[in-house]
Amino acid sequence: MIVLKTKTELEKMRVAGRISAQALALGGQMVAPGVTTAQIDKAIHRFILSQQATPSFLGYGGFPASACISVNDTVIHGIPGSRTIKQGDIVSIDVGACYQGYNADNAATFPAGEIASEIKALLDATRESLYAGIKAAIVGNRVGDISHAVQSLIEPKGYGIVRKFVGHGVGRQMHESPEVPNFGKPGSGPRLAAGMTLAIEPMINLGTGEVKVLSDGWTVLTGDGKFSAHFEHTVAITESGPVILTEA
Ligand code: MG
């Protein structure tokens, strides 16, 4: 069942979104050679708590940290730890905050110093595909229109779309209906209505879209060892168009 949010609920989600966006920006500013992923997680954790919110990811399904921090060929769900970021790495940070019972979810991939031009192009295309998806998130369209907008921007560039993991509804629960794949046919899937809140999140690989999950049960790597990028916003569908809730 797709839960439509009231105006009051959307206001709470906007606060959750602002906190999530600020937490993401804080983490992104820390991405630099010599910093560990655990240091970034700790700063994000403290920040969210300082905002009278709680980290949505901490303990979710047993996840042991407040942010997923995924370096290079890690696509998503990287567990923060002693890994030290190196010059030329890319670091995907995915973080959500829960405020008065409502969640928001966002992610971005940050470069550590100078990165190879082909990797920068991957980051740019992934971010661009997120905004193409958001642009299609309008009343009367269907979920497949969002999916198709992402897919049609990415595939001509030759990148691999991760199909095993998808975007999702978000609200009282971190993951709600509907699923929002990053591939699909226009005009397919549930119809978009005002009050829906969706986490749109293209996960795009430099190589193929194949992924594998490590034995820790969380860490998702690209199958071919090539780099991967991830950008995500929580978006409200409204009569006057899509509203990005995860903005600082
Ligand atoms: Mg998400």
Side-chain angles (χ1 to χ4, degrees):
M1 188 189 69
I2 300 175
V3 184
L4 301 181
K5 279 77 178 180
T6 64
K7 197 165 169 267
T8 312
E9 290 177 304
L10 287 178
E11 280 162 12
K12 288 179 181 171
M13 285 191 67
R14 192 187 269 282
V15 178
R18 192 178 68 232
I19 297 166
S20 301
Q22 289 171 343
L24 179 61
L26 171 69
Q29 284 159 12
M30 289 179 69
V31 169
V35 176
T36 68
T37 54
Q39 287 174 309
I40 296 173
D41 177 64
K42 200 171 182 181
I44 286 174
H45 179 81
R46 284 187 182 152
F47 172 75
I48 293 174
L49 292 182
S50 79
Q51 302 300 302
Q52 288 74 53
T54 52
S56 304
F57 295 4
L58 184 60
Y60 186 87
F63 191 75
S66 295
C68 297
I69 305 186
S70 306
V71 181
N72 296 345
D73 62 332
T74 307
V75 180
I76 48 168
H77 301 169
I79 300 173
S82 58
R83 182 170 185 162
T84 302
I85 296 166
K86 294 194 203 61
Q87 160 67 34
D89 283 351
I90 55 169
V91 181
S92 298
I93 301 175
D94 190 350
V95 58
C98 183
Y99 177 80
Q100 293 187 2
Y102 290 87
N103 296 279
D105 187 5
N106 65 176
T109 304
F110 301 93
E114 282 296 306
I115 56 171
S117 59
E118 67 165 0
I119 306 300
K120 186 179 182 304
L122 172 71
L123 266 50
D124 290 345
T126 306
R127 188 189 304 103
E128 203 184 329
S129 75
L130 166 61
Y131 285 97
I134 291 170
K135 213 171 159 189
I138 54 175
V139 172
N141 265 1
R142 292 179 182 268
V143 170
D145 294 303
I146 298 174
S147 306
H148 181 73
V150 173
Q151 181 178 16
S152 56
L153 194 140
I154 290 299
E155 282 190 339
K157 299 180 190 291
Y159 300 131
I161 295 172
V162 173
R163 290 172 177 252
K164 194 172 176 186
F165 297 90
V166 296
H168 50 92
V170 56
R172 278 202 172 274
Q173 308 298 324
M174 261 295 293
H175 292 96
E176 297 183 349
S177 287
E179 290 195 337
V180 185
N182 296 303
F183 56 94
K185 290 191 173 63
S188 69
R191 195 175 287 282
L192 302 177
M196 282 186 190
T197 44
L198 305 176
I200 302 173
E201 51 175 324
M203 292 154 258
I204 308 298
N205 296 349
L206 189 61
T208 75
E210 296 306 313
V211 296
K212 58 188 177 193
V213 182
L214 280 189
S215 57
D216 63 18
W218 286 106
T219 313
V220 178
L221 299 173
T222 60
D224 58 12
K226 293 185 177 175
F227 284 18
S228 182
H230 181 203
F231 286 84
E232 175 182 33
H233 271 308
T234 295
V235 176
I237 316 286
T238 77
E239 292 295 349
S240 48
V243 174
I244 298 174
L245 298 176
T246 38
E247 273 182 340

